[in-house]
Amino acid sequence: MTASSICRRTVGKSAKSRIAAVGTIAVVGSLLLSGCGDQTNDKGSDSVSNAPLADKLPKDIRDAGVIKVGSDIAYPPVEFKDKSGSTVGIDPDLGEALGKQLGVEFEFENGTFDTLLGGLRSKRYQVAMSAMTDTKNRQEGVDEETGKKVGDGVDFIDYFTAGVSIYTKKGDDQGIKTWADLCGKKIVVQRGTVSHDLAKAESKKCKGGKKIAIEQFDNDQQAQTRLRSGGADAGSSDFPVAAYAVKTSGGGKDFELVGEQVEAAPYGIAVSKKNPELRDAIQAALDAIIKNGDYEKIIKKWGVEDGAVEKAEINGGK
């Protein structure tokens, strides 16, 4: 999930992916509900000196033993708080696996999605990992909405691929199958995400004055609450998140997915362009866990195999 931009993504060519993939997530429903251990407190057992890739880290991070991660921890199943208040999800699990390779702890700090890259620029965080889509604008530090340069940009280590989905109240899809069907209707989205960007772009295409009414929220769960209460016609978010909401909200009785995924693009771990050593260390660690099977285990645990990558690519977003 930048200031304007999973997804947290930017508008490009549509790429279809069957909604039937939600069945995979359903198979692991119990895992989705229970999540994994607390990643913010569960330190890896490997010391820096014994970690296979520790020597690739910048010395200051190696000495500190911690990588501070900016993340919007309200985006299940990518990252969220479980019933005990522990931080769980795909990203925290991957962070733990990467940390074992590097001999450090990935310490997740909560922040709203549209402030994460600002936190990276101000050095509050060393990386941002939050279902953030790798886009050219983000790489170059260009604001998605204004097209103006707002910073130096970031480098991404791409670790997953996901598209965007639309969902409605269950049994009340109002004939919505595509983004064009939203003209004259109201959609709820998380601020600064690809869903937000898509809604604005599609509204401009609507004819006869029937624009898309867009209500934006700080996080996706607030948007879901609004839709659940009847305050909108549809919602949109990254496919893994939308599918999780469909599976779990109201025991699966609240929402349904409509249409197909669009805007398939990579999620990336964002790192300052001024820190190529950290970028390369994380890339090496991601390649290592792909090779040793840890990555596959995590992706399967959360039922999102369709989004798996085969290698860690730098700045693969378009």
Side-chain angles (χ1 to χ4, degrees), residues 2-5 9 114 138 142-145 192-193 197 200:
T2 87
S4 178
S5 351
R9 204 173 296 124
D114 58 355
R138 285 175 174 163
V142 174
D143 184 86
E144 301 279 357
E145 188 167 0
T193 63
D197 291 337
K200 289 183 288 186

Side-chain angles (χ1 to χ4, degrees), residues 283-311:
Q283 180 189 29
L286 180 56
D287 274 330
I289 66 171
I290 290 173
K291 185 176 180 179
N292 71 15
D294 286 348
Y295 174 86
E296 182 181 11
K297 289 177 183 176
I298 293 167
I299 296 301
K300 283 187 174 180
K301 169 184 176 179
W302 292 98
V304 290
E305 295 94 322
D306 285 353
V309 298
E310 296 181 355
K311 65 177 181 178

Side-chain angles (χ1 to χ4, degrees), residues 4 136-138 140-144 146-151 153:
S4 178
K136 287 296 183 185
N137 279 346
R138 285 175 174 163
E140 297 169 1
V142 174
D143 184 86
E144 301 279 357
T146 66
K148 295 180 178 180
K149 185 85 170 175
V150 294

Side-chain angles (χ1 to χ4, degrees), residues 134 136 139 155-161 265-271 279-280 282-287 290 295 309-318:
D134 174 1
K136 287 296 183 185
Q139 293 170 24
D155 286 330
F156 286 100
I157 305 99
D158 298 336
Y159 67 98
F160 192 74
T161 300
Y267 285 174
I269 302 170
V271 182
R279 176 200 66 199
D280 293 346
I282 293 175
Q283 180 189 29
L286 180 56
D287 274 330
I290 290 173
Y295 174 86
V309 298
E310 296 181 355
K311 65 177 181 178
E313 186 174 354
I314 300 294
N315 295 334
K318 305 303 182 183

